[in-house]
Amino acid sequence: IVERARSVCSDIEFRAVMFCYHGRSTEDVALLEQIPPATARSHLLRARKKLLADLVCNHPDLVGGTAAIEAALQRLSESER
C-alpha cells in the first residue's frame, strides 16, 4: 500500500499520509511542512482519495476484494434511500 501511495500521490501528499500513518496529527504535519493546517488537511484528504481510488480500481485484493467492495457499495446505496 505504501508503494501505491508513493505512486499515485504527490510528494507532499505522500508525506502527509506517512506522517498520519505514524500517528502525527494534521497540525503536526502543518508544522513539519511549514504550511497552514487547512492546507495539510487538504493534502491528506486528497492523498487518501487518490490512494483509495487506485486500490479499488487496480488492486481490489488490498482492500478486501471485489466482493467486499461491491457489498460496501450496496450498503452505501441502501443508506442513501
Side-chain angles (χ1 to χ4, degrees):
I1 291 177
V2 172
E3 179 182 312
R4 296 308 311 153
R6 189 182 321 268
S7 172
V8 299
C9 298
S10 70
D11 289 342
I12 183 70
E13 292 166 350
F14 177 73
R15 288 193 304 271
V17 167
M18 290 296 99
F19 284 139
C20 288
Y21 175 76
H22 288 287
R24 300 294 187 122
S25 68
T26 52
E27 290 79 16
D28 291 339
V29 173
L31 286 172
L32 291 166
E33 292 291 335
Q34 299 179 342
I35 57 177
T39 303
R41 184 173 170 9
S42 292
H43 285 304
L44 176 61
L45 294 176
R46 194 174 303 117
R48 288 174 35 182
K49 184 188 328 183
K50 287 179 178 179
L51 179 57
L52 182 58
D54 177 71
L55 293 174
V56 167
C57 292
N58 301 313
H59 302 281
D61 55 306
L62 294 177
V63 288
T66 304
I69 293 167
E70 289 172 358
L73 289 172
Q74 180 65 35
R75 285 191 306 274
L76 179 62
S77 175
E78 291 170 359
S79 71
E80 291 179 345
R81 292 182 195 162

